[in-house]
Amino acid sequence: MFIRSCDEHDSEDLFAWRNDPLTREMSLSTDLVSQAVHERWFANKCSDPNCSLYIGEKGGEKTGVVRFDYDPAKILAEVSINLNPQFRGKRISVPFLLVSIEAFHKVRDCPIYACVRDENVASCKLFSKAGFHEAKVENGVREFILAR
């Protein structure tokens, strides 16, 4: 698995992956995202020094995106992962997440957490397999923590 920093050429793929029906169903925010809203979000994330976006690639194809949003006040980062729908079920999410965490920890050495809907069994398993521990469950959302 190869990862690289996200760039402007990745915007359309992230837009398509975000609006994929299964992605929306499993996301904390299930709304369809408009192109204009996505473009503003993407520009903000790419220019935010507290955000790290990594694109996975395998065989020359983009496999997905991992995003880390660092909160300097809490010295903590939230992680989010979204696979290219073509790569679901191919057992790449754990290695993709782990190599992304390794890259992120070279930038920021801090604990990482993820928030996952109860219904998103695949992501719950992913974070557990990647070494995260379930910290709490509240309002149908599980919080997983990876301590440093």
Side-chain angles (χ1 to χ4, degrees):
M1 171 72 59
F2 170 76
I3 66 162
R4 62 173 174 77
S5 292
C6 190
D7 64 36
E8 66 274 1
H9 302 292
D10 300 311
S11 180
E12 286 301 314
D13 292 310
L14 270 63
F15 176 65
W17 301 340
R18 169 58 182 91
N19 279 328
D20 171 77
L22 183 58
T23 297
R24 289 180 42 228
E25 183 181 334
M26 293 297 124
S27 294
L28 296 177
S29 172
T30 60
D31 296 337
L32 188 66
V33 176
S34 72
Q35 183 79 39
V37 168
H38 169 74
E39 288 173 8
R40 280 192 304 276
W41 173 88
F42 188 78
N44 288 338
K45 290 298 178 182
C46 287
S47 64
D48 183 350
N50 291 317
C51 180
S52 298
L53 284 164
Y54 299 105
I55 296 291
E57 292 186 355
K58 187 172 184 176
E61 291 189 66
K62 296 177 188 177
T63 59
V65 61
V66 175
R67 185 184 80 240
F68 296 91
D69 289 310
Y70 176 69
D71 183 341
K74 296 180 182 176
I75 312 172
L76 183 70
E78 182 176 12
V79 64
S80 175
I81 184 171
N82 189 12
L83 289 184
N84 173 343
Q86 296 175 10
F87 283 88
R88 289 186 186 133
K90 300 199 187 246
R91 301 184 184 267
I92 66 156
S93 59
V94 173
F96 179 28
L97 180 59
L98 290 174
V99 73
S100 298
I101 289 169
E102 184 178 322
F104 175 74
H105 275 150
K106 290 177 183 174
V107 177
R108 306 251 190 231
D109 189 24
C110 66
I112 300 170
Y113 75 98
C115 293
V116 181
R117 290 180 59 184
D118 279 337
E119 297 87 1
N120 193 344
V121 175
S123 287
C124 290
K125 288 180 182 178
L126 161 66
F127 287 108
S128 292
K129 287 178 182 177
F132 286 70
H133 301 284
E134 192 172 310
K136 67 179 178 180
V137 180
E138 192 173 284
N139 298 323
V141 176
R142 295 178 184 275
E143 183 176 276
F144 293 87
I145 301 283
L146 180 67
R148 283 301 286 167

